[in-house]
Amino acid sequence: MRPFTYERATDARGAIAAVVRGGPGARFISGGTNLLDLMKLEIERPTHLVDISRLPLSAIEELPDGGLRIGAQAANSDTAADLRVRRRYPVLSEALLSGASGQLRNKASMGGNLLQRTRCPYFYDVASVCNKREPGTGCSAIGGINRIHAILGASEHCIATHPSDMAVALAVLDARIELLGNDGAARSVSVHDFHCLPGATPQVESVLRPGEMITAIVLPPPPAGRQRYRKVRDRASYEFALVSVAAIMATERGVIITTARVAFGGVAHKPWRSRDAEQALIGRPATMATYREAAAHALRDAKGCGHNNFKIELAKRTLCRTLAQVAQEA
C-alpha cells in the first residue's frame, strides 16, 4: 500500500471541499470494505483520504408520502434489520442479508455498497490487461475464464458484472439516489440511471461527478404485491451472485398478475431491470408457463462468452422459481 494523507470530515460540504482540495488523487472513504482491498493491490492509489464515516447521514427517516429516506452512512446491517424496511421492503432486507458476511455488513455503508467495484478476477490481477483498470489495454476476461461474467449489456471492451445485491433490490423498488455536488447543489438520480453500461468506457461506472457525494437513498412507497430476493452462488455464504433475482408481484384473487417488477443481478455491468419480462407477466395467469415465457423475454438478448453460457438458463430458472415462490406466498 502506498503512503497517503488522511483527514476526518465533520460535515458533508466540508468533506466535498476536502476532496476537491486534494485533487484527482483524493477519495472519500467510509466503511472501506472494498477500497482498502483495492489499495493493498495498488489498483486504487489515493494520495489523500477523506473519512466520511462519522457524518450525520445514517438516519432512516419516514417520508410524508409513505416512503423512506435512508442516509448514505447507514450500515448495511442496520438497514436490513430496520423494522420498517423488513415489513415494507423485504426484498431490500433479503438482498442486504445475502451479501458479504455479518462483520462486513456491520461496517459497509449504503452509499458505499452502490459504489463497490466489480469482482472480475482479471480486474484484481494487475498482471492482466483490463480496460476497466487501465483503459485501452484490453479485456482478459474475453477469451479467458469468464464463468462469473456478464451475459447482458456487455461490450467488446468489458464483460464485468456489478457485484451489489442491494442495488438489484433498489432497482425493483424504483429507488432514487440523492447526491450533493461540489457546487453545493443537490440532485436526485434514479437508481436505473446511476450505474453505466461498459460501452467503450468501462472505467466509468456511475454518473457521479468529480467531488460529488451520495447523501441518501430514497425509497418510494412500497408497491403492491409480495417481494422476494433469490441469490444463486457457488457457496452458501460470503459469495457473490452467479445470478440473482429481485421480484415483486401482485395478483387478482391469486389468478391474474396485476403488478410485476423484475431485476437481475450478476448478469450485467449494472442491476438489470427487465421491462420485457414485466410486460410478459402483467395481465397473464400466474402459472409456470407464464413465468417461462417471461424468462424467455428477459434473456432474449443474452449472450454467453463460453464459460458463462450456463448463466442464461440459470437466470431463466431462477426467475421462474422466484416468481413461483412469490405467487405461492401471495
Side-chain angles (χ1 to χ4, degrees):
M1 188 181 290
R2 300 192 178 199
F4 57 87
T5 52
Y6 169 90
E7 68 178 288
R8 177 173 290 155
T10 56
D11 63 83
R13 294 185 189 280
I16 293 171
V19 162
V20 172
R21 281 197 307 273
R27 297 283 190 278
F28 295 120
I29 186 169
S30 182
T33 56
N34 188 206
L35 179 59
L36 291 177
D37 287 341
L38 296 170
M39 289 171 64
K40 292 173 185 174
L41 294 169
E42 297 196 354
I43 296 169
E44 289 276 3
R45 301 171 182 175
T47 55
H48 186 61
L49 289 181
V50 179
D51 185 345
I52 59 174
S53 63
R54 298 189 185 182
L55 298 185
L57 298 172
S58 59
I60 301 176
E61 306 167 286
E62 293 278 359
L63 295 175
D65 66 357
L68 287 180
R69 183 178 185 275
I70 303 172
Q73 292 304 315
N76 286 183
S77 54
D78 291 342
T79 305
D82 186 278
L83 192 57
R84 294 162 295 182
V85 174
R86 291 171 57 194
R87 286 179 174 172
R88 289 148 59 180
Y89 307 97
V91 67
L92 175 58
S93 183
E94 291 172 4
L96 284 166
L97 291 174
S98 74
S101 64
Q103 292 92 335
L104 286 169
R105 292 194 294 269
N106 287 341
K107 192 68 177 172
S109 68
M110 295 295 285
N113 192 311
L114 285 168
L115 297 177
Q116 60 179 307
R117 306 196 71 183
T118 182
R119 263 57 178 189
C120 171
Y122 298 106
F123 174 74
Y124 284 82
D125 178 6
V126 295
S128 300
V129 297
C130 173
N131 285 323
K132 182 180 285 296
R133 177 168 30 81
E134 297 287 345
T137 57
C139 176
S140 297
I142 298 175
I145 304 298
N146 47 47
R147 184 171 180 272
I148 67 170
H149 291 77
I151 55 174
L152 289 164
S155 76
E156 60 181 316
H157 301 280
C158 182
I159 58 171
T161 55
H162 193 269
S164 172
D165 295 291
M166 179 193 83
V168 184
L170 295 182
V172 292
L173 293 170
D174 285 336
R176 296 191 68 83
I177 314 300
E178 288 188 353
L179 308 171
L180 183 63
N182 177 26
D183 58 359
R187 66 179 178 126
S188 173
V189 177
S190 163
V191 72
H192 305 295
D193 298 326
F194 182 76
H195 296 103
C196 303
L197 290 177
T201 56
Q203 74 278 11
V204 179
E205 299 175 348
S206 75
V207 298
L208 271 179
R209 298 165 181 164
E212 204 167 37
M213 175 192 291
I214 299 174
T215 53
I217 296 168
V218 175
L219 301 177
R226 301 286 296 184
Q227 306 176 16
R228 274 293 171 192
Y229 185 76
R230 181 179 293 276
K231 180 176 180 178
V232 181
R233 46 190 164 180
D234 282 328
R235 58 186 180 190
S237 68
Y238 195 35
E239 183 60 279
F240 296 94
L242 290 169
V243 168
S244 67
V245 168
I248 301 174
M249 190 170 75
T251 60
E252 182 179 0
R253 296 189 298 276
V255 178
I256 300 299
I257 300 168
T258 55
T259 298
R261 298 187 187 186
V262 170
F264 292 92
V267 300
H269 210 248
K270 59 186 290 185
W272 192 266
R273 180 84 177 260
S274 178
R275 306 288 183 180
D276 288 342
E278 295 169 4
Q279 291 175 7
L281 289 165
I282 294 174
R284 301 290 304 282
T287 64
M288 187 55 72
T290 299
Y291 308 151
R292 290 194 182 106
E293 186 175 337
H297 281 282
L299 278 299
R300 181 175 50 204
D301 298 325
K303 181 181 177 183
C305 299
H307 298 93
N308 66 347
N309 291 348
F310 75 98
K311 292 176 77 171
I312 299 174
E313 184 62 26
L314 180 62
K316 292 178 181 177
R317 294 188 184 198
T318 305
L319 176 60
C320 290
R321 186 171 178 185
T322 307
L323 293 174
Q325 182 181 9
V326 171
Q328 187 177 25
E329 294 172 344

